Amino acid sequence: MILLHYTGMPKADAALELLRAQGSEVSAHYFVFEDGRIIQMVRESNRAWHAGRAYWAGEADINSCSIGIEIANPGHDHGYPDFPKRQIAAVTTLCRSIQTRNTIPSVRVLAHSDVAPSRKMDPGEKFPWRTLHDSGVGHWVKPSPIMNFGQTLSPGDRGDPVAAMQRSLREYGYGIEASGEYDTTTRDVVAAFQRHFRPERVDGIADPSTRGTLQELLATRGGPRNIAARARTATLLVAP
Ligand SMILES: [Zn+2]
């Protein structure tokens, strides 16, 4: 997979220095500056230390199956500025190149927050996943609109609808059990999901828009083949 990060430090140079320092115990394959310059620090075939304790789709050793890209941005603790266009263009080109050379499916271009939802927020809700998707990088669907009706699931809720939502999140890849209890882990996973796929409101509450977006992602994640199957199903449903 490709895992995207932000550096979370006020100055890019200091972040780069940390990633290159002996003994810092953090590293990444690539570093992308605000102006779009890219530095490779680790060979793609080698393991870098960027994911930490994490999980995705049955895999807990994310460092061993991912290429990490650090994107220079001060992050939520330091004002969280927008990602400059030139930087996003560089990240997109880099991802396309990595994707092609390593045959990485679009559903496996992810945020650090997707694989470590209770610990990480990066690259965050300002990261333009849609722009990347428009250039053929990553899986994305237009978020279901936020509306004031339909069933909302919130922290503290329990029961079958909560379990069903947890199962859907797990099916997509998130590290969550279908306990039927909307606990703090569930809130964190829902917030991580929103940062990536429904960034308009990141609150950890599973409103109909969040759940609708999740279902649409599940329905489209297989690429064209799955979409064709879905179209056939739709035809069956309307057939007499
Ligand atoms: Zn990170």
Side-chain angles (χ1 to χ4, degrees), residues 6-228:
Y6 66 42
T7 51
M9 290 171 67
K11 292 270 176 270
D13 288 335
L16 183 63
E17 207 169 295
L18 178 73
L19 287 161
R20 297 171 102 173
Q22 293 276 350
S24 72
E25 304 204 326
V26 286
S27 55
H29 296 85
Y30 292 98
F31 188 98
V32 183
F33 284 93
E34 284 98 335
D35 63 6
R37 276 177 302 138
I38 300 171
I39 292 181
Q40 180 166 16
M41 296 180 287
V42 177
R43 274 198 204 100
E44 287 181 9
S45 55
N46 288 355
R47 189 175 185 271
W49 289 357
H50 57 98
R53 193 164 43 76
Y55 176 95
W56 189 260
E59 181 59 67
D61 185 1
I62 300 299
N63 282 333
S64 288
C65 63
S66 63
I67 291 170
I69 301 175
E70 284 285 354
I71 302 162
N73 183 294
H76 291 83
D77 289 345
H78 306 282
Y80 194 30
D82 290 341
F83 294 90
K85 281 206 173 68
R86 274 189 298 183
Q87 187 180 33
I88 294 305
V91 171
T92 305
T93 307
L94 178 59
C95 285
R96 283 178 67 119
S97 153
I98 296 169
Q99 239 177 347
T100 308
R101 276 181 285 105
N102 300 274
T103 328
I104 296 171
S106 56
V107 288
R108 286 172 75 85
V109 181
L110 297 165
H112 196 189
S113 52
D114 288 321
V115 303
S118 295
R119 296 190 303 117
K120 295 292 175 180
M121 295 198 287
D122 62 314
E125 61 280 2
K126 282 189 174 180
F127 189 77
W129 292 99
R130 183 200 179 141
T131 306
L132 270 72
H133 179 259
D134 288 347
S135 296
V137 175
H139 185 207
W140 186 88
V141 296
K142 191 171 185 294
S144 302
I146 296 177
M147 291 184 291
N148 293 323
F149 56 89
Q151 190 183 20
T152 289
L153 300 171
S154 313
D157 286 350
R158 54 177 54 196
D160 290 342
V162 175
M165 179 196 64
Q166 290 168 328
R167 265 194 301 276
S168 293
L169 286 164
R170 188 172 181 82
E171 203 185 326
Y172 196 70
Y174 288 94
I176 185 172
E177 301 298 331
S179 65
E181 286 190 38
Y182 207 122
D183 52 12
T184 52
T185 303
T186 306
R187 186 201 58 203
D188 293 344
V189 170
V190 169
F193 175 84
Q194 291 169 332
R195 274 184 218 292
H196 188 157
F197 297 108
R198 211 287 307 269
E200 190 179 341
R201 193 191 291 164
V202 179
D203 56 7
I205 293 170
D207 55 17
S209 154
T210 301
R211 296 165 68 201
T213 307
L214 173 59
Q215 292 311 317
E216 188 61 18
L217 284 162
L218 284 170
T220 54
R221 69 186 160 154
R225 209 177 49 182
N226 203 11
I227 293 164

